[in-house]
Amino acid sequence: MIFPRLTGPKRTLAQTAGLVLLMGSLAWASVPFYNFFCKVTGYGGTTNTAEAGSDTILDQTIKVRFDGSLERGMPWQFKPVEREMEIRIGETGLAFYEAHNPTDHPVAGSASYNVAPFDAGSYFVKIDCFCFEEQVLQPGETVLMPVSFYVDPDIITDRDAKFATRITLSYTFHQIDLPQEQAAMMIAD
């Protein structure tokens, strides 16, 4: 198929439409590309995941600090049970966060997280975490939510991350819509 050669206002209109489509496509694709970039590089404090703990445990230790916050309007109470722990690099750690729903109705939440310093993000490896799935707390319910993790021994060979003596794992809970089956039960009541 041969396209007719556009001139004048039609050409300008076609170029503008093409630019709008290009910018819209880039905006749509930017979030998946950014998430992929952060996951691969650890940029922005993005962590890694693993099925099991590390095979190597070093004699060097690192302190892991835990932080918890809530998005504005999230009715829960949320905090780490232990504020800080010291573990050997490569050793599996287990920490708990406590969440409480003081309302008279179920509330669903999803946790976002990051690690500081950012250089250490790709070396902080989660084995299991409450943040991998949404959480629903019933009225008045209090739960302990675990996160198991280790610090990858390769951190000691990274020219920037090897100087980290403390890593902070931060979670922020955001309210989300209730799962359909629970929302349907609330409507039926």
Side-chain angles (χ1 to χ4, degrees):
M1 175 178 196
I2 299 176
F3 293 102
R5 185 170 177 89
L6 299 175
T7 58
K10 288 183 180 179
R11 181 177 182 182
T12 303
L13 183 60
Q15 288 174 335
T16 302
L19 182 63
V20 168
L21 282 172
L22 174 67
M23 297 305 284
S25 299
L26 289 174
W28 176 80
S30 65
V31 171
F33 283 137
Y34 180 77
N35 288 342
F36 175 74
F37 172 78
C38 289
K39 186 170 180 81
V40 169
T41 65
Y43 181 78
T46 303
T47 64
N48 280 316
T49 59
E51 296 291 319
S54 174
D55 294 333
T56 305
I57 298 175
L58 306 179
D59 287 333
Q60 291 175 260
T61 62
I62 193 162
K63 290 183 180 177
V64 180
R65 184 178 176 277
F66 304 98
D67 183 49
S69 63
L70 298 167
E71 179 183 49
R72 183 177 295 170
M74 175 61 153
W76 288 2
Q77 296 164 357
F78 176 67
K79 65 182 180 185
V81 172
E82 187 174 359
R83 289 303 235 178
E84 187 173 88
M85 70 173 54
E86 187 169 355
I87 61 170
R88 294 181 6 215
I89 294 175
E91 176 184 18
T92 299
L94 178 63
F96 290 90
Y97 282 76
E98 182 181 279
H100 174 70
N101 177 6
T103 70
D104 62 354
H105 58 277
V107 177
S110 178
S112 60
Y113 57 87
N114 74 7
V115 171
F118 292 155
D119 295 336
S122 62
Y123 298 102
F124 192 91
V125 183
K126 292 181 185 176
I127 301 167
D128 193 21
C129 181
F130 62 89
C131 62
F132 293 163
E133 49 193 57
E134 64 187 28
Q135 305 293 321
V136 178
L137 296 184
Q138 298 304 316
E141 182 178 16
T142 300
V143 295
L144 290 178
M145 298 182 291
V147 56
S148 60
F149 63 92
Y150 66 91
V151 177
D152 190 324
D154 287 342
I155 194 171
I156 65 168
T157 61
D158 184 284
R159 69 179 183 153
D160 295 320
K162 69 181 175 183
F163 297 109
T165 58
R166 174 176 291 156
I167 294 176
T168 301
L169 175 62
S170 297
Y171 288 99
T172 301
F173 252 104
H174 311 271
Q175 187 171 356
I176 59 173
D177 292 335
L178 283 172
Q180 287 183 349
E181 62 273 1
Q182 290 197 324
M185 288 179 10
M186 284 186 63
I187 293 171
D189 288 342

